[in-house]
C-alpha cells in the first residue's frame, strides 16, 4: 500500500494544493497500485513510515504555525532520509528551506531539508507560470501567488527554468530539488495540471517502471494549458 500523507491541510490548504494527494492516489490506482491518503493535522504526530509527503501553500501566520509543529520530533527529516518523497508547494517549499521571513519581518529558521533561503520581495508575484522541468523533458504550468524570493544554495538544483512568470524571483528559475525532495512555487494543483509529474513521482517512489497508463484527457488538458500559458 502506497501511503500519501497530506501535511497540515487545515494550515497549508489555502491554495487548493490538497488536490495533489488526490491526483497521486487516482493515478496510482490507474496503474494498479493500491494507495491511501492520510490527513495529518498540526495537532497530530506525523508518521515516519509513509511513502509520499505533501505540503501546500499558506498565508504567513499559518506557515509559521505549521513549521513550529513540524519542528517537534523530526519525523519528516527521518522519513526523507529513509527514502520517502516530499513535494512542497510555495509556503511548504519555504518551510523546508534553511530560512524564510515571517509576516512580522523576523527571519525564521526552516526545517533545513533543502538548502534555500527566502526573503520578502518588493512586490507579490501573482499569475500564470510555466517552467521547463530540470528532471523531465517536459514543460509544467501552474499558478503562482507569493511575496517571497528564494535563493538556492549549494547542493540543490532548480525545479525548472522559468519560461513565463517569476518562480523564485532570482536567476530565472523556480523551486529546488535535492534527491527525493521537491519544492516549487507552482499551485494548480501542480499534479492536476501536469500528470507527467505525478507519474514521475509515483515511479520514483515505488521504483516501478510500469507507470504507463495513458490518461488521454489529462494529457490533452495539460497540453492545452501549456499552449495558452505565454
Ligand atoms: N506566505 C508565503 C509568501 O507569500 C507563501 C505564499 C503561498 O504559499 N502561496 O511568500
Amino acid at each position: 500500500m502506497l501511503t500519501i500523507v497530506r501535511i497540515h491541510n487545515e494550515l497549508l490548504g489555502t491554495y487548493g494544493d490538497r488536490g495533489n494527494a488526490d491526483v497521486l492516489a487516482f493515478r496510482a490506482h490507474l496503474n494498479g497500485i493500491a494507495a491511501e491518503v492520510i490527513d495529518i493535522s498540526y495537532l497530530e504526530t506525523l508518521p515516519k513510515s509513509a511513502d509520499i509527503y505533501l505540503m501546500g501553500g499558506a498565508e504567513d501566520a499559518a506557515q509559521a504555525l505549521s513549521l513550529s509543529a513540524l519542528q517537534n520530533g523530526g519525523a519528516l527529516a527521518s522519513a526523507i532520509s529513509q527514502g520517502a518523497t516530499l513535494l512542497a508547494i510555495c509556503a511548504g517549499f519555504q518551510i523546508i528551506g534553511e530560512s524564510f521571513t515571517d509576516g512580522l519581518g523576523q527571519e525564521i529558521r526552516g526545517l533545513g531539508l533543502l538548502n534555500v533561503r527566502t526573503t520578502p520581495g518588493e512586490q507579490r508575484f501573482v499569475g500564470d507560470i510555466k517552467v521547463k522541468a530540470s528532471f523531465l523533458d517536459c514543460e509544467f504550468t501552474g499558478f503562482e501567488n507569493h511575496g517571497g524570493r528564494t535563493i538556492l544554495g549549494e547542493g540543490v538544483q532548480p525545479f525548472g527554468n522559468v519560461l513565463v512568470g517569476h518562480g523564485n524571483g532570482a536567476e530565472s528559475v523556480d523551486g529546488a530539488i535535492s534527491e527525493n525532495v521537491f519544492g516549487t512555487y507552482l499551485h494548480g494543483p501542480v499534479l492536476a495540471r501536469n500528470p507527467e509529474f505525478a507519474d514521475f513521482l509515483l515511479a520514483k517512489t515505488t521504483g516501478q517502471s510500469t507507470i504507463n497508463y495513458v490518461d488521454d484527457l489529462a494529457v490533452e488538458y495539460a497540453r492545452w494549458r501549456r499552449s495558452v500559458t505565454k
Side-chain angles (χ1 to χ4, degrees):
M1 173 70 77
L2 185 82
T3 306
I4 301 161
V5 169
R6 187 156 46 199
I7 300 175
H8 305 169
N9 186 61
E10 70 288 348
L11 297 174
L12 307 179
T14 311
Y15 296 89
D17 300 307
R18 63 173 297 138
N20 286 329
D22 302 317
V23 171
L24 280 174
F26 178 73
R27 299 190 71 81
H29 288 134
L30 288 181
N31 283 284
I33 301 164
E36 62 176 354
V37 176
I38 300 176
D39 274 294
I40 300 292
S41 84
Y42 77 104
L43 299 173
E44 294 171 293
T45 306
L46 198 66
K48 294 182 181 166
S49 57
D51 302 295
I52 303 182
Y53 292 81
L54 299 171
M55 299 169 70
E59 294 186 307
D60 292 348
Q63 177 172 340
L65 186 52
S66 175
L67 168 65
S68 53
L70 289 169
Q71 276 162 336
N72 294 327
L76 198 51
S78 154
I80 285 161
S81 68
Q82 285 165 45
T85 301
L86 170 62
L87 171 61
I89 312 296
C90 203
F93 172 40
Q94 297 176 5
I95 287 173
I96 65 169
E98 290 294 326
S99 66
F100 63 89
T101 306
D102 72 5
L104 304 172
Q106 310 264 39
E107 185 178 307
I108 308 232
R109 204 159 149 198
L111 293 180
L113 302 174
L114 275 179
N115 187 10
V116 304
R117 289 175 190 277
T118 301
T119 53
E122 276 167 23
Q123 106 238 29
R124 207 168 169 82
F125 293 148
V126 183
D128 285 320
I129 176 167
K130 180 160 74 173
V131 305
K132 166 81 182 71
S134 66
F135 53 95
L136 261 187
D137 186 17
C138 196
E139 291 176 0
F140 295 155
T141 66
F143 194 86
E144 62 181 329
N145 186 349
H146 57 105
R149 304 287 182 274
T150 301
I151 303 288
L152 308 190
E154 294 287 309
V156 296
Q157 70 178 94
F159 177 81
N161 287 315
V162 175
L163 304 172
V164 174
H166 301 279
N168 293 352
E171 297 173 55
S172 301
V173 298
D174 173 74
I177 303 176
S178 174
E179 296 182 14
N180 38 346
V181 179
F182 297 78
T184 173
Y185 277 109
L186 272 65
H187 300 293
V190 66
L191 299 183
R193 291 265 200 122
N194 306 282
E196 301 88 344
F197 184 27
D199 290 350
F200 172 88
L201 291 177
L202 288 172
K204 185 172 176 59
T205 308
T206 60
Q208 284 193 33
S209 53
T210 52
I211 310 293
N212 54 13
Y213 180 92
V214 180
D215 183 351
D216 289 328
L217 195 58
V219 170
E220 192 183 323
Y221 170 63
R223 276 201 197 126
W224 171 77
R225 267 291 182 190
R226 282 163 199 151
S227 72
V228 296
T229 305
K230 30 185 165 190

